[in-house]
Amino acid sequence: HKISLIGAPSDAGAGSRGSSMGPEALRVAGIEPALLNHGLDVEDRGNLSGPHNPWDESSGGYRHLDEVTAWCRVAHDAVYETLKRRRMPILMGGDHSLSMGSISAVARHCREYGKKLRVLWLDAHADFNTCDITPSGNLHGMPVAVLCGFGPAELIELGGVMPATPPSVYRLIGVRSVDPGEKHFVHKTDLDVFDMRYIDENGMHATMERALAGVDADTHLHVSFDADFIDPLIAPGVGTPVPGGPTYREAQLCMEMIADTGRLGSLDIMELNPAQDVRNQSAALAVDLLESLFGKSTLMRKRL
Ligand code: DIR
Ligand code: MN
Ligand code: MN
Ligand code: MN
């Protein structure tokens, strides 16, 4: 694997400030040496640049639409170009709205190379709001909907075609906070959701077997990791913590099973908020999980 780290220091899509410091928190937690230790070829491309967070009110159902759009454009271009160079992009957020940029680029790449796309959306939230149903106007609550074609023109057209992805490519894992209108829309769209109740009842192993079913040699697997996926008892450094998330071992198992597929093609590490963290422990945990995603903790098991 050849890996490119791309920092996207924006919190314009979030409801609180601080995730703009996420890329540096990951560097301080040793993301680059951790990957180098696994024998990976790593380049840190530094941070993208874009507009500051103006801290305006939401208007027309969106907060900071222009700023988020500008950031998503640069994220799209950086991820697309990285894939073209046959490197694996790791987007270091930044709030989760930036995944509209990365995933629209990944989808474009998959169209050009005839690859099937599967997106694992690891998150406490469904991120499936629209301007009509959002309680906040915050665009980090909307990226899955936008990528499926439900959102403002400037965002749904980011990756060249509309929609960037069909809803069928997504597997939402770890969900435990969904807004009322959002819940209805998730059901209506028939999104594949493995919520915490599902994980409680079936275990993380069966959950991941199902979420990864059908992943084969022609599949590009994209993981969009929202740090609030993890239980806030061990990952407090996020803007919107929700109790009752995966434990340390459940999260590790999730990463290990993804590693076993050998199909990981791109990754987002989003929503880390150092302003809420305790001694950078959440960024350190994210780096620890990242190592498992590259096969650190167990002997490799072949499932393909
Ligand atoms: C909430 C929060 N559902 C919203 N979403 C978050 O504002 O749309 N997503 N935090 O990660
Ligand atoms: Mn999210
Ligand atoms: Mn979330
Ligand atoms: Mn969030």
Side-chain angles (χ1 to χ4, degrees), residues 58-213:
S58 107
S59 84
Y62 303 112
R63 192 161 180 223
H64 305 152
L65 178 56
D66 293 345
E67 290 78 11
V68 168
T69 302
W71 274 102
C72 286
R73 284 213 179 97
V74 294
H76 168 282
D77 293 352
V79 167
Y80 182 71
E81 187 231 320
T82 300
L83 289 166
K84 196 145 232 170
R85 289 166 57 220
R86 303 204 157 271
R87 302 184 67 96
M88 180 192 294
I90 299 183
L91 184 69
M92 305 185 291
D95 74 73
H96 217 166
S97 67
L98 285 148
S99 294
M100 298 187 276
S102 58
I103 294 175
S104 60
V106 169
R108 172 177 271 184
H109 174 83
C110 287
R111 284 196 302 279
E112 289 169 5
Y113 287 77
K115 288 268 192 179
K116 290 189 284 184
L117 173 61
R118 174 73 54 86
V119 178
L120 303 181
W121 196 272
L122 312 181
D123 203 321
H125 308 90
D127 290 359
F128 208 65
N129 274 310
T130 64
C131 64
D132 303 314
I133 57 179
T134 174
S136 67
N138 296 324
L139 279 149
H140 77 158
M142 310 186 196
V144 181
V146 166
L147 287 159
C148 293
F150 308 105
E154 52 266 65
L155 288 177
I156 60 179
E157 289 165 3
L158 262 176
V161 301
M162 205 298 282
T165 57
S168 58
V169 306
Y170 294 92
R171 303 291 182 273
L172 276 54
I173 302 168
V175 175
R176 55 195 183 276
S177 171
V178 191
D179 302 309
E182 184 184 29
K183 185 181 285 192
H184 178 76
F185 194 41
V186 164
H187 283 301
K188 196 177 140 195
T189 312
D190 204 23
L191 272 179
D192 215 342
V193 181
F194 301 93
D195 61 7
M196 283 312 300
R197 169 83 184 261
Y198 188 95
I199 297 170
D200 290 343
E201 292 186 353
N202 299 278
M204 185 59 88
H205 183 266
T207 300
M208 293 308 293
E209 290 254 282
R210 290 205 51 184
L212 292 166

